[in-house]
């Protein structure tokens, strides 16, 4: 049984966003609260103390659309607006390192960066519009250092003259083939395409693998991330559905298939594995990964949500900006992943 991890906070740093995308059993015992040394790098993000080692959200900095890099006890969160946050103590305290990549003049809406290492190179995939009113494209930046030195590649990795393309993520199949997943806004579907071994060239032979077919998804599916489980030899596609605004009923769904390029529509769970409650609105834009917590390696799901209550539990007059959240992923006997009780933990 994987230990339950919890994360909590109310965001006080407001991240200005120029535009909004899309219409597009028992609980394990909680670990004792850990000591919280002050952040020593960048501007500290306010952290909460409490009975839990990880009360949700992780900190009080705004952190929409998190893409995570976990390196032992050092955790990095890359977020919309090209912001970077760092924790040196396995997620207990955080500092705001500012923007890791400066966007060229005239470009707008840099969204949802995800960062991966291939060889000695760090690669960041993200969405951006070349100007107001234009379609979003998938761009790439590279660096030989994780926190700095990022260089934007001028030509988009993926583009289409008829639709916006957002929420890019990378998946490496067991045989070594790399893939890029992303959402087409206009067509309301998730696509997959093959990447070169260095992750910098796309085959440009996209295949649709998931569309909105369930009532809870509304008119949008997005934020794809794929996981392969050797236990049952299935590919699991995590995605977010519905509208991500504070009143949009965003949630996290899962589908599975036996190949990464198959249609996942027939393999969907009928209901989301994570949805809103009275404390957090529109949890989503998930990032499944593994992290070591209290000496144990566990599957975890990072995501964002709008806090609706202050630290004392009182309702906020309006939702706080989207904050960085985390819960453990457990896997049932039927092979499907589970998150807490289906809502964000506190």
């Amino acid at each position: 049984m994987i230990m339950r991890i919890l994360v909590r906070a109310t965001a006080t740093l407001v991240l200005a966003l120029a535009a909004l995308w899309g219409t597009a059993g028992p609980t394990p015992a909680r670990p004792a609260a850990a000591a919280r040394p002050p952040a020593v790098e960048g501007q500290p993000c306010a952290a909460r103390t409490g009975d839990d080692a990880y009360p949700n959200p992780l900190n009080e900095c705004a952190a929409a659309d998190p893409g995570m890099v976990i390196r032992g006890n050092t955790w990095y969160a890359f977020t919309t607006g090209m912001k970077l946050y760092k924790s040196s103590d396995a997620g207990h305290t955080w500092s705001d390192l500012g923007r890791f990549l400066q966007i060229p003049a005239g470009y707008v809406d840099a969204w949802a960066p995800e960062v991966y290492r291939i060889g000695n190179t760090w690669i960041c995939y993200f969405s951006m519009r070349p100007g107001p009113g234009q379609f979003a494209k998938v761009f790439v930046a590279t660096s030989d250092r994780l926190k700095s030195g990022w260089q934007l590649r001028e030509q988009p990795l993926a583009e289409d003259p008829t639709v916006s393309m957002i929420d890019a993520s990378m998946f490496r199949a067991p045989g070594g083939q790399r893939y890029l997943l992303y959402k087409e806004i206009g067509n309301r579907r998730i696509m997959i395409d093959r990447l070169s071994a260095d992750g910098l060239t796309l085959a440009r032979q996209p295949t649709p693998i998931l569309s909105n077919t369930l009532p809870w998804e509304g008119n949008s599916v997005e934020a794809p991330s794929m996981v392969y489980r050797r236990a049952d030899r299935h590919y699991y596609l995590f995605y977010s559905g519905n509208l991500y605004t504070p009143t949009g009923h965003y949630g996290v769904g899962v589908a599975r298939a036996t190949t990464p390029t198959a249609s996942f529509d027939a393999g969907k769970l009928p209901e989301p594995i994570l949805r809103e409650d009275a404390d957090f609105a529109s949890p989503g834009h998930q990032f499944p990964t593994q992290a070591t917590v209290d000496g144990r390696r566990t599957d975890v799901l990072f995501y964002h949500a709008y806090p609706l209550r202050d630290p004392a539990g009182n309702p906020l007059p309006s939702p706080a900006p989207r904050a960085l959240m985390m819960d453990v992923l457990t896997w049932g006997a039927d092979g499907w992943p589970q998150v807490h009780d289906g809502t964000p933990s506190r």
Side-chain angles (χ1 to χ4, degrees):
M1 175 64 70
I2 298 176
M3 182 193 317
R4 174 184 172 194
I5 309 171
L6 307 171
V7 189
R8 166 114 195 85
T10 304
T12 56
L13 173 63
V14 176
L15 178 61
L17 298 180
L20 296 178
W21 286 119
T23 50
T27 300
R30 299 172 178 172
R36 295 176 177 266
V40 296
E41 182 177 20
Q43 179 66 33
C45 294
R48 277 219 206 148
T49 58
D51 294 335
D52 300 321
Y54 291 93
N56 255 323
L58 281 165
N59 57 59
E60 296 188 5
C61 286
D65 307 325
M68 305 299 299
V69 173
I70 307 297
R71 308 186 77 187
N73 287 332
T74 303
W75 298 2
Y76 298 91
F78 296 80
T79 68
T80 279
M82 313 313 283
K83 293 293 296 296
L84 174 58
Y85 302 97
K86 177 185 176 182
S87 172
S88 298
D89 56 4
H92 293 292
T93 59
W94 292 80
S95 55
D96 180 351
L97 303 188
R99 286 181 171 81
F100 68 95
L101 175 67
Q102 297 301 317
I103 300 305
Y107 286 69
V108 296
D109 302 337
W111 290 78
E114 294 206 3
V115 173
Y116 307 88
R117 189 172 186 176
I118 299 179
N120 294 323
T121 302
W122 291 100
I123 299 177
C124 176
Y125 303 101
F126 66 101
S127 310
M128 185 167 60
R129 291 193 290 158
Q134 297 192 35
F135 289 115
K137 306 176 182 184
V138 176
F139 286 85
V140 178
T142 60
S143 178
D144 59 1
R145 304 183 302 277
L146 183 57
K147 295 186 295 182
S148 62
W150 287 93
Q151 298 294 319
L152 175 67
R153 292 170 68 92
E154 182 177 350
Q155 294 300 315
L157 177 67
E159 59 183 324
D160 189 299
T162 63
V163 296
S164 280
M165 307 164 84
I166 65 169
D167 295 350
S169 68
M170 189 183 74
F171 170 69
R172 184 178 182 273
Q177 176 63 56
R178 299 182 189 276
Y179 295 91
L180 187 79
L181 297 98
Y182 58 88
K183 172 197 176 176
E184 287 185 346
I185 288 184
N187 294 329
R188 302 177 183 177
R189 60 188 184 179
I190 289 172
M191 310 292 290
I192 193 169
D193 201 350
R194 288 180 293 109
L195 279 167
S196 59
D198 62 5
L200 299 176
T201 304
L202 201 60
R204 295 188 181 253
Q205 297 175 338
T207 300
I209 58 173
L210 188 128
S211 57
N212 55 313
T213 61
L214 299 175
W216 78 265
E217 296 166 343
N219 60 1
S220 178
V221 288
E222 59 188 34
S225 47
M226 191 173 286
V227 171
Y228 177 72
R229 291 199 77 219
R230 296 187 184 276
D232 58 12
R233 298 181 181 179
H234 276 79
Y235 295 83
Y236 286 79
L237 179 62
F238 292 75
Y239 65 97
S240 296
N242 218 300
L243 184 60
Y244 70 94
T245 64
T247 58
H249 308 298
Y250 210 45
V252 176
V254 181
R256 66 186 176 190
T258 55
T259 68
T261 57
S263 172
F264 283 74
D265 283 340
K268 289 181 180 178
L269 279 177
E271 296 294 332
I273 63 169
L274 182 64
R275 67 193 320 161
E276 64 194 356
D277 62 10
D279 298 314
F280 300 102
S282 289
H285 202 107
Q286 72 296 320
F287 189 95
T289 187
Q290 290 190 328
T292 300
V293 178
D294 292 338
R296 296 187 61 185
R297 190 77 169 170
T298 67
D299 291 332
V300 294
L301 191 74
F302 290 91
Y303 57 98
H304 70 223
Y306 296 90
L308 301 177
R309 297 180 182 273
D310 66 18
N314 302 309
L316 294 169
S318 61
R322 287 170 290 179
L324 180 61
M325 311 274 286
M326 182 180 68
D327 274 297
V328 159
L329 270 179
T330 57
W331 299 85
D334 57 2
W336 289 105
Q338 302 166 352
V339 179
H340 188 226
D341 62 359
T343 65
S345 63
R346 293 182 60 85

